[in-house]
Amino acid sequence: MSDTKPESTGPDLTMGIAIDTLADGKMIAGHVGDDAVLLARRGDEFFAIGAQCTHYSGPLAEGLIVGDSVRCPWHHACFSLRTGEALRAPALNPVACWRVELRDEKLFVREKKAATETSGTPRAKTEPQRIVIVGGGAAGFAAAEMLRRQRFEGSIVMLSDDDAPPVDRPNLSKDYLAGNAPEEWVPLRDADYYGQQGIDLRLKTNVGSIDPAAREVVLGDGARIPYDRLLLATGAEPVRLSLPGIDLPHVFTLRTLADCREIIARATSARRAVVLGASFIGLEVAASLRARGIEVHVVAPDKRPMERVLGPEMGDFVRRLHEEHGVLFHLEDTPTAIDASAVKLKSGGTIDTDLVVAGVGVRPRLALAEKVGLAIDRGVTVDEYLETSVPGIFAAGDIARWPDSHSGGPIRVEHWVVAQRQGQTAALNMLGRRERFDSVPFFWSQHYDVPINYVGHAETWDEIAVDGDVGARDCAVRYKRGGRVLAVASINRDVESLAAEAAMEMSSVPG
Ligand SMILES: Cc1cc2nc3c(=O)[nH]c(=O)nc-3n(C[C@H](O)[C@H](O)[C@H](O)COP(=O)(O)OP(=O)(O)OC[C@H]3O[C@@H](n4cnc5c(N)ncnc54)[C@H](O)[C@@H]3O)c2cc1C
Ligand code: FES
């Protein structure tokens, strides 16, 4: 997101570091000239790569080495120590690599290596020529990017009914909405990228149906686009409450950049906002509107915010955190009507307001998949290769329900990183690679200066084990069933979160 260079802190790695100060599996952050560089050791091998994550500039030296890769402490991107390649989303760009020389028991970081070609493997004879992607969001973009990274030379058509090219959607409820991020941080790539990469991105283009027998996508205007492989990545859309006044011009939902711009335009003159729903997006919106100095009321039927996903301890903490920032909660209550200047509540109360944002959940956009007759089970059913019940049609992201080897069942989640990683795996599988999708689910959420990271997946649990102090913002909360850890939510325990992810990868339920 940011392209600012970090300050060159730590030792000058060109001057030599005593080898015995770098233990196996450890890293040292330093610099080479103006570049922040980390020096890492794995057994008797030494690596020097860029120290700044290419996602949001996280400090990689504070992450975790797993095999010959390093994982970012903030949102779990993964980079190859050997090549610098961004092996796992959310980072999509590589970091640079430097040559390391061992001389007289000292490690010297020498010149920067030339950028290496990424991991494209030799092309299969049966590789498709025409790939169509329906969806210009996290999964669709990551798939197109991976196809080109793999040096796929056929055509890629990416169809999106949005009017904006792929954006950093998580930012829309956080820094961008809060007014802390410039608009140039929002697109995932510059406008020229698509032309340069030969990705035929068609915006404001609605896909009306698919003809699997002819292998053609049918656009809203009747035009047909042939495909050899098709990826459905149609995402989700906000649930619209059925409520008098829900269509008034000061009532919004948030999914797209256009939605966000409208909220920001309204927020510039609004004095008091009502957020309907105490979900992740609702509360991130609440925090961002508070950053704009607007009085914020949150109305939700829940007893505690986020309790269903995070449990009571974290729910109480999140509530207190928002209250400390001035948010007023109306819990165990629901709106009954909205008019031009107020929201009426079931409890009988009324909140005067000039801005309403409804964040009451999303539903997967399944219409296309249903029309084609794909197997559906509260999402598009895919196998471990992300292929749907119709050969040649893949699905990824918020719509996909996949056999998760960690929780042991088919699951569907709404997480940015999962959508991107599924897009990447689907891309490989559309090229015939047969890669299982076996990432452990991960999401993050940010409230003011408090990041919450969550690895794994626990829809229900029979035990919550809290390690640390939730109120002191230093904790790892484990959600268990039958003694087995299904998920870990953490605050400021980044390495523990990464280690939990790595442990879950090792202990998957056989598929
Ligand atoms: C405001 C906000 C903040 C979020 N913050 C976080 C966060 O902090 N952490 C996290 O893990 N997750 C977060 N999420 C969730 C995350 O953004 C989603 O999980 C992710 O975007 C899903 O990716 P996707 O590709 O499946 O769908 P999307 O990104 O929604 O993309 C779907 C695409 O399909 C297109 N489309 C749909 N139907 C059609 C059609 N018929 N024809 C043509 N195009 C079509 C849409 O226009 C869109 O381009 C957030 C979501 C929102 C809205
Ligand atoms: S900053 Fe590294 S993954 Fe986000």
Side-chain angles (χ1 to χ4, degrees):
M1 183 175 66
S2 165
D3 56 5
T4 52
K5 280 200 168 186
E7 278 178 41
S8 302
T9 52
D12 180 347
L13 300 175
T14 63
M15 302 300 287
I17 297 284
I19 189 171
D20 55 8
T21 57
L22 186 58
D24 187 11
K26 297 293 177 201
M27 295 177 270
I28 292 177
H31 66 99
V32 173
D34 287 343
D35 290 316
V37 173
L38 75 78
L39 182 61
R41 176 174 190 165
R42 186 171 174 252
D44 287 333
E45 288 189 287
F46 301 93
F47 306 95
I49 65 169
Q52 191 180 25
C53 177
T54 56
H55 178 228
Y56 286 179
S57 309
L60 293 179
E62 293 170 27
L64 186 71
I65 292 180
V66 179
D68 55 3
S69 67
V70 58
R71 298 190 180 178
C72 177
W74 287 0
H75 316 112
H76 296 204
C78 178
F79 296 88
S80 165
L81 286 169
R82 294 183 191 285
T83 64
E85 185 181 356
L87 298 174
R88 292 184 183 197
L92 299 171
N93 292 330
V95 290
C97 295
W98 281 258
R99 187 171 69 82
V100 182
E101 188 183 345
L102 172 60
R103 191 157 47 86
D104 301 334
E105 296 302 298
K106 276 183 137 189
L107 298 162
F108 295 86
V109 177
R110 301 301 194 196
E111 73 283 354
K112 196 185 272 189
K113 293 183 191 171
T116 49
E117 287 284 339
T118 51
S119 60
T121 51
R123 219 146 287 128
K125 284 205 181 83
T126 51
E127 200 167 84
Q129 284 310 303
R130 299 164 303 181
I131 292 183
V132 174
I133 298 171
V134 185
F141 176 81
E145 196 269 348
M146 182 54 83
L147 287 168
R148 287 301 182 228
R149 216 197 284 187
Q150 294 293 319
R151 287 174 267 149
F152 169 64
E153 288 169 358
S155 71
I156 303 175
V157 180
M158 183 157 48
L159 305 163
S160 169
D161 65 1
D162 200 343
D163 55 6
V167 295
D168 181 8
R169 210 177 292 294
N171 216 328
L172 300 182
S173 51
K174 304 180 185 70
D175 282 343
Y176 181 62
L177 180 60
N180 298 330
E183 181 138 338
E184 61 260 31
W185 285 6
V186 174
L188 289 178
R189 284 286 193 271
D190 293 344
D192 323 351
Y193 168 84
Y194 300 92
Q196 284 163 0
Q197 292 293 315
I199 297 170
D200 181 2
L201 171 62
R202 302 191 200 173
L203 299 174
K204 295 189 230 171
T205 301
N206 182 262
V207 176
S209 61
I210 292 157
D211 181 344
R215 292 207 160 191
E216 288 175 337
V217 163
V218 186
L219 302 187
D221 63 6
R224 288 175 166 257
I225 302 176
Y227 66 82
D228 299 320
R229 297 285 182 279
L230 175 65
L231 175 64
L232 290 182
T234 50
E237 60 196 349
V239 169
R240 285 191 71 77
L241 287 170
S242 168
L243 200 65
I246 200 75
D247 293 324
L248 285 168
H250 66 300
V251 182
F252 303 92
T253 54
L254 175 56
R255 185 76 189 181
T256 64
L257 177 58
D259 297 336
C260 193
R261 285 194 183 124
E262 285 182 15
I263 297 172
I264 290 171
R266 185 80 192 187
T268 52
S269 61
R271 295 181 54 234
R272 187 184 285 172
V274 172
V275 174
L276 304 178
S279 64
F280 288 94
I281 291 179
L283 289 183
E284 288 183 354
V285 167
S288 296
L289 294 178
R290 287 299 298 137
R292 289 179 176 271
I294 297 170
E295 182 178 319
V296 178
H297 294 251
V298 173
V299 178
D302 323 65
K303 196 167 165 204
R304 295 182 177 90
M306 299 180 185
E307 183 173 12
R308 193 179 53 79
V309 180
L310 296 179
E313 295 86 354
M314 288 287 254
D316 284 339
F317 165 73
V318 167
R319 177 181 178 159
R320 276 198 311 277
L321 175 65
H322 281 269
E323 284 175 340
E324 282 164 18
H325 286 82
V327 172
L328 298 153
F329 282 92
H330 305 260
L331 297 173
E332 298 181 87
D333 208 346
T334 48
T336 52
I338 304 172
D339 66 24
S341 59
V343 172
K344 292 193 174 55
L345 303 181
K346 195 172 174 195
S347 62
T350 297
I351 309 169
D352 290 339
T353 181
D354 39 14
L355 166 61
V356 179
V357 182
V360 294
V362 297
R363 71 165 63 87
R365 294 181 68 176
L366 301 177
L368 266 180
E370 283 167 353
K371 260 195 198 170
V372 192
L374 302 182
I376 304 275
D377 168 20
R378 297 157 294 146
V380 179
T381 302
V382 293
D383 63 14
E384 65 264 54
Y385 305 105
L386 304 177
E387 195 162 17
T388 69
S389 55
V390 173
I393 302 183
F394 294 73
D398 284 2
I399 58 168
R401 183 172 292 274
W402 83 99
D404 174 45
S405 50
H406 311 287
S407 50
I411 64 169
R412 188 187 71 78
V413 300
E414 290 143 11
H415 305 347
W416 178 254
V417 167
V418 172
Q420 288 187 313
R421 291 179 183 173
Q422 288 190 343
Q424 294 176 326
T425 301
L428 299 176
N429 289 332
M430 289 192 289
L431 299 179
R433 302 283 166 76
R434 301 295 280 171
E435 295 256 351
R436 294 163 69 102
F437 180 76
D438 59 5
S439 283
V440 173
F442 167 79
F443 75 82
W444 82 96
S445 185
Q446 180 86 27
H447 303 258
Y448 312 98
D449 58 344
V450 179
I452 300 174
N453 280 3
Y454 182 101
V455 286
H457 183 77
E459 279 172 29
T460 58
W461 52 79
D462 55 29
E463 184 191 344
I464 293 182
V466 179
D467 180 27
D469 184 341
V470 180
R473 305 169 184 196
D474 171 25
C475 63
V477 179
R478 291 181 168 71
Y479 305 86
K480 302 183 185 180
R481 199 164 53 227
R484 183 167 181 260
V485 177
L486 297 177
V488 180
S490 60
I491 299 173
N492 294 324
R493 293 270 185 107
D494 292 336
V495 172
E496 208 171 325
S497 174
L498 287 167
E501 180 183 59
M504 285 180 204
E505 286 167 3
M506 302 292 289
S507 65
S508 302
V509 179

